[in-house]
Amino acid sequence: MTKRIILLVLVVQIGLAGYSQRKKPQESDPVKSFVSSFEYFPGFIDFYWDRKTDQVYLFVKDLDKEILYVNSLAAGVGSNDIGLDRGQLGSTRIVRFDRHGPKILLTQPNYYFRAISDNDAEIKAVEDAFASSVIWGFKIEKENKSGVLLNATDFILRDAHGVISQLSRMKQGSYSLDKSRSAIYEDRTRNFPKNTELENILTFTGTARGGYVRSVVPTPASITVRQHHSFVELPDDGYTPRAHDPRAGFFGPSFHDFASPIEEPIEKRLISRHRLKKKDPDAARSEAVEPIIYYLDPGTPEPVRSALLDGARWWNQAFEAAGYIDAFQVKMLPEDADPLDVRYNVIQWVHRSTRGWSYGSSVGDPRTGEIIKGHVSLGSLRVRQDFLIAEGLLAPYASDAIPEDMRDMALARIRQLSAHEVGHTLGLAHSYAASTAGRASVMDYPHPYVKLTDGKIDLSEAYDTKIGEWDKIAIRYGYTDLGTEDKAKLNEILLDAHDKGIRFISDRDARAR
């Protein structure tokens, strides 16, 4: 009898175990189930693309973590007058994904007003005193223990760069975004360990009222461009900000620090510069831990290509003077690289229907002034304008032969222009006082130096062939590896410039009102 009872108990236990197993199947992952048929792009922010419906889903793991968000114009309109160029950078913002119930808000905190303090309450008081900006709101599609899945399609397929407002501002017509003619641009939608790159094709439809748009768009009622979105990991805390000095010729971020002592200014100013450190900080000359490398647009033709490479490389002379060995380099952009990818400092060759400005822009950390990406846009018609200036000077109309001097002068000017715009992306402002000391800076606006030799116009020295003395001083101030900040040593650099008679005047002070 006892054996029968024991056997019955064992049977019941086995049955209950089986019942328990049947009642507790392994839970499925709602995110994985939802995205199982989508294309997967692992990286900084993992994302999925449903090719059938052209929907993109971001999988955000680190809520409340601050990152950089940059929007830009990948393919432009082609009119200098309209001002929507290929490769044009938009805003650089620090953002975070904040959760509020079923919503995720992409929030931009206000770094213009801060309290640099160890007192959390003091920091919070300033944060609450000034408005932040919510850039976008996402609805949570699915979630699991690791993160939330967000449909980012509408976020990507929007006019983040302000094409509509720019066309209206320039009186070119009234346009609206036509989503039926817009899509995700697969070729430039990629993911990397420290940055996520998303691109679209956007079509704006409307009635063209201006001559600028009609001169460059094949069907002016339909303007199609591409816009780019970048999410980027913020730099680590290994960078040391450097204080702004009005004598040094740098621009950079400013902010109000409400934790400043009463006797100190509430406004704080920093300079913009790349991170650069010596491998051997104690050596007079040393290689860099990580050199600054710029990449030239492979769409640039010869002989302009070589001229742009030469001019940009002049800056290594300034870094050599600051104690570095080969710390500034210029190479050709790899074929598979995207010029809007924040991992590449780039020099772009930008075409327009008419001659326009060139620009030196950058993506930087608003908290510290650290430059993450230098971004130069050079107008391709500039070299042709300089060729025409040389033609006007030489007037070579007595013969069918074109003097080499004309071509040489145009290329000499484009070398100087390359150095000038790269200088802006290193943090340097215009240096309009440099001409009082000869050719002291490529950051000046130089006129061609024309001589008369044996009664003939001589253009052989029309433009400089090297970096200027002021440029070396500025790079020493901005990039000398001091280990820790040393105001006395930085001041010595500027006093030395003063003793040599080399001055700096800011844009604001140099330009006519």
Side-chain angles (χ1 to χ4, degrees):
M1 186 68 179
T2 303
K3 290 182 179 180
R4 290 181 179 177
I5 294 173
I6 293 173
L7 181 60
L8 179 62
V9 170
L10 288 173
V11 170
V12 170
Q13 287 178 339
I14 292 171
L16 288 173
Y19 175 79
S20 176
Q21 289 173 5
R22 288 194 299 273
K23 293 295 289 183
K24 292 184 179 180
Q26 186 175 359
E27 294 182 3
S28 63
D29 186 320
V31 173
K32 288 184 178 179
S33 299
F34 184 78
V35 302
S36 60
S37 62
F38 303 164
E39 293 184 42
Y40 176 43
F41 295 77
F44 178 56
I45 300 178
D46 293 353
F47 68 88
Y48 300 84
W49 179 40
D50 182 0
R51 184 184 292 270
K52 292 180 180 179
T53 61
D54 200 29
Q55 301 286 301
V56 172
Y57 297 87
L58 297 178
F59 185 62
V60 180
K61 301 175 184 177
D62 298 318
L63 296 176
D64 304 322
K65 180 180 179 180
E66 292 186 341
I67 60 176
L68 272 182
Y69 166 60
V70 186
N71 66 271
S72 45
L73 192 63
V77 177
S79 167
N80 178 70
D81 302 284
I82 294 175
L84 293 168
D85 296 326
R86 169 203 176 214
Q88 187 177 75
L89 289 180
S91 300
T92 300
R93 289 159 281 191
I94 291 178
V95 298
R96 63 175 184 262
F97 290 93
D98 292 336
R99 179 163 190 168
H100 297 274
K103 293 182 179 180
I104 300 292
L105 302 182
L106 187 64
T107 304
Q108 179 186 1
N110 194 336
Y111 270 95
Y112 296 113
F113 304 96
R114 316 178 198 174
I116 300 178
S117 169
D118 295 329
N119 184 336
D120 290 341
E122 188 176 16
I123 294 171
K124 182 66 173 172
V126 177
E127 287 180 354
D128 290 346
F130 298 95
S132 59
S133 297
V134 173
I135 296 172
W136 196 256
F138 301 89
K139 178 184 175 183
I140 298 175
E141 294 286 342
K142 300 290 179 181
E143 62 180 301
N144 59 22
K145 294 180 180 179
S146 299
V148 295
L149 189 72
L150 313 175
N151 189 328
T153 311
D154 287 343
F155 173 80
I156 300 169
L157 297 181
R158 66 191 175 99
D159 185 18
H161 200 76
V163 169
I164 293 172
S165 61
Q166 183 66 9
L167 290 169
S168 176
R169 188 179 302 115
M170 299 308 298
K171 297 180 171 56
Q172 297 306 296
S174 178
Y175 288 86
S176 60
L177 177 61
D178 185 345
K179 288 194 174 182
S180 70
R181 305 187 211 181
S182 304
I184 302 299
Y185 188 62
E186 182 181 4
D187 290 352
R188 295 299 187 193
T189 295
R190 303 175 178 180
N191 221 346
F192 304 96
K194 294 188 176 183
N195 57 301
T196 296
E197 308 293 329
L198 307 163
E199 192 161 308
N200 61 38
I201 299 170
L202 295 185
T203 300
F204 302 92
T205 56
T207 302
R209 297 193 179 94
Y212 298 147
V213 74
R214 287 197 296 268
S215 70
V216 292
V217 180
T219 300
S222 175
I223 302 173
T224 301
V225 299
R226 297 201 317 272
Q227 295 188 20
H228 196 88
H229 305 265
S230 299
F231 289 112
V232 187
E233 182 179 57
L234 279 167
D236 60 33
D237 57 5
Y239 172 83
T240 303
R242 185 153 294 178
H244 177 272
D245 189 304
R247 301 169 296 169
F250 278 80
F251 55 80
S254 63
F255 60 94
H256 287 74
D257 177 13
F258 283 86
S260 299
I262 296 173
E263 66 274 13
E264 294 183 8
I266 196 170
E267 183 180 21
K268 307 296 184 185
R269 297 186 67 187
L270 305 172
I271 69 170
S272 292
R273 60 176 184 149
H274 291 268
R275 183 183 302 203
L276 191 67
K277 288 184 175 294
K278 289 181 174 180
K279 286 184 177 179
D280 183 355
D282 297 324
R285 297 181 71 248
S286 168
E287 293 180 331
V289 174
E290 187 174 343
I292 302 169
I293 303 176
Y294 274 64
Y295 295 90
L296 178 62
D297 187 343
T300 310
E302 288 287 10
V304 173
R305 174 183 293 193
S306 294
L308 295 181
L309 290 169
D310 289 344
R313 286 169 178 159
W314 290 355
W315 281 106
N316 195 49
Q317 301 166 20
F319 285 97
E320 293 278 341
Y324 292 95
I325 300 171
D326 203 23
F328 185 85
Q329 302 172 21
V330 187
K331 303 178 180 181
M332 294 303 301
L333 185 70
E335 289 186 4
D336 61 343
D338 185 341
L340 291 174
D341 188 335
V342 294
R343 296 176 300 165
Y344 298 97
N345 303 300
V346 296
I347 304 169
Q348 287 198 128
W349 190 239
V350 178
H351 300 292
R352 307 180 181 108
S353 61
T354 56
R355 184 229 154 215
W357 299 106
S358 295
Y359 301 95
S361 306
S362 61
V363 174
D365 185 343
R367 305 170 304 174
T368 64
E370 180 181 358
I371 295 173
I372 299 168
K373 170 189 174 66
H375 191 90
V376 174
S377 294
L378 298 177
S380 65
L381 293 180
R382 174 66 69 90
V383 69
R384 296 180 181 275
Q385 181 193 38
D386 292 318
F387 186 84
L388 292 175
I389 292 173
E391 180 182 5
L393 290 168
L394 297 178
Y397 306 122
S399 170
D400 292 335
I402 298 176
E404 283 293 312
D405 294 358
M406 293 167 55
R407 177 177 172 274
D408 292 345
M409 190 192 104
L411 292 176
R413 177 68 179 97
I414 211 72
R415 288 188 193 94
Q416 196 278 337
L417 180 65
S418 178
H420 179 99
E421 299 303 343
V422 168
H424 284 316
T425 69
L426 296 174
L428 299 181
H430 288 132
S431 181
Y432 292 142
S435 56
T436 62
R439 294 175 167 180
S441 178
V442 300
M443 302 310 297
D444 203 343
Y445 276 2
H447 56 76
Y449 176 50
V450 181
K451 301 184 296 182
L452 284 176
T453 303
D454 298 329
K456 295 182 178 180
I457 290 179
D458 181 356
L459 302 179
S460 61
E461 297 180 46
Y463 295 99
D464 210 345
T465 58
K466 61 186 183 304
I467 212 72
E469 285 305 308
W470 167 252
D471 305 320
K472 293 178 181 179
I473 291 164
I475 291 299
R476 283 179 60 204
Y477 180 89
Y479 288 89
T480 296
D481 189 353
L482 298 173
T484 57
E485 290 299 276
D486 189 324
K487 292 183 179 179
K489 287 184 178 179
L490 292 172
N491 190 49
E492 285 177 14
I493 294 171
L494 300 177
L495 290 177
D496 180 55
H498 184 273
D499 293 342
K500 292 178 179 178
I502 303 175
R503 305 285 191 272
F504 169 78
I505 295 178
S506 70
D507 261 2
R508 182 172 58 184
D509 295 328
R511 293 180 186 266
R513 292 294 187 268

